[in-house]
Amino acid sequence: MFRIPPGTWSDLDLAGELRRLILDVLTECRANIKQKLKRSITSSYNIKYVALSLAPLGMTVTPPHWSRLAYLRQTYVDFMGVLNKSSAPPPPQDSTESQSEENEESTSTPPHPAAQASKNNNIWTSDMQFWSFVDTELNNTRQTYPNEGDLLEFFSGNLLDDLRKYTKIPKSLANEPKDIINDPNPVVFEWQVLIQNFMVW
């Protein structure tokens, strides 16, 4: 699909070099996405234009891309909220209240590890942990909406909320054809279809 020469994966040296190149590209992509998510939040950019700014040459931006980026944007907002809470000094707590909470926790059903990790603000202490936070939150979301139809409905609702909240158009993309940006059924390249078929959301 990506024109990798036959026999590449059977050659240990070539396979190792290819993995390194792929990891480098993915790391660069993640850094670029996070940087543009930050900017889009402070500048209130419409998610369709954020997706367009991230798309490489030869890629068609589709509504599922808007939805995924809208989810990432909301997750980044949540993540920064968690970081701010974890860096704030804890409020003074009455010893009686503290003992009561301990007793309550000891008798309650243990939460799922992923849900507990997300709830525990103390483990999120650095902006570098964002993508781990995304993995945890996505896992929690899949558990909350195990049915595929409910999951798609959740992401659709999140996208609509995002479109209402962030409405500005970047000056650098202001002249892009509106029919292309807003087309709900764009022409998609075959390689994108192959990847999309493996995506859960």
Side-chain angles (χ1 to χ4, degrees), residues 93 96-106:
Q93 189 174 34
T96 304
E97 180 183 352
S98 177
Q99 183 63 42
S100 175
E101 288 182 359
E102 290 179 4
N103 293 338
E104 182 180 345
E105 290 179 0
S106 65

Side-chain angles (χ1 to χ4, degrees), residues 17-166:
E17 183 64 17
L18 183 58
R19 288 190 183 94
R20 186 189 66 78
L21 290 173
I22 292 173
L23 286 175
D24 288 346
V25 171
L26 290 176
T27 299
E28 184 178 346
C29 288
R30 283 188 164 193
N32 188 32
I33 290 172
K34 190 166 76 169
Q35 180 186 40
K36 292 193 174 181
L37 285 177
K38 288 182 184 179
R39 189 181 307 162
S40 74
I41 292 167
T42 57
S43 301
S44 193
Y45 287 152
N46 181 293
I47 201 66
K48 297 178 183 180
Y49 291 88
V50 178
L52 195 62
S53 71
L54 286 165
L57 186 65
M59 175 178 171
T60 302
V61 176
T62 64
H65 292 123
W66 307 340
S67 182
R68 295 185 184 106
L69 281 174
Y71 178 79
L72 286 177
R73 175 151 64 181
Q74 182 56 50
T75 302
Y76 188 78
V77 171
D78 294 341
F79 177 63
M80 294 310 296
V82 169
L83 283 188
N84 292 335
K85 286 182 180 178
S86 65
S87 62
Q93 189 174 34
D94 181 77
S95 58
T96 304
E97 180 183 352
S98 177
Q99 183 63 42
S100 175
E101 288 182 359
E102 290 179 4
N103 293 338
E104 182 180 345
E105 290 179 0
S106 65
T107 58
S108 61
T109 303
H112 187 278
Q116 179 63 24
S118 179
K119 183 180 178 183
N120 183 4
N121 294 343
N122 293 330
I123 70 170
W124 308 113
T125 58
S126 167
D127 185 62
M128 300 294 292
Q129 295 174 296
F130 171 61
W131 292 106
S132 295
F133 185 83
V134 170
D135 290 339
T136 299
E137 288 301 290
L138 188 54
N139 186 44
N140 293 343
T141 300
R142 285 172 175 157
Q143 290 181 35
T144 304
Y145 304 99
N147 180 275
E148 184 175 349
D150 293 337
L151 187 65
L152 292 175
E153 184 177 350
F154 164 77
F155 284 116
S156 296
N158 185 76
L159 174 59
L160 289 176
D161 290 341
D162 186 276
L163 290 170
R164 295 188 191 102
K165 184 175 182 180
Y166 303 97

Side-chain angles (χ1 to χ4, degrees), residues 46 48-49 52-53 60-61 66 169-184 186:
N46 181 293
K48 297 178 183 180
Y49 291 88
L52 195 62
S53 71
T60 302
V61 176
W66 307 340
I169 300 174
K171 290 182 179 179
S172 60
L173 299 174
N175 295 324
E176 291 292 330
K178 300 296 185 295
D179 56 335
I180 294 179
I181 293 172
N182 296 307
D183 187 356

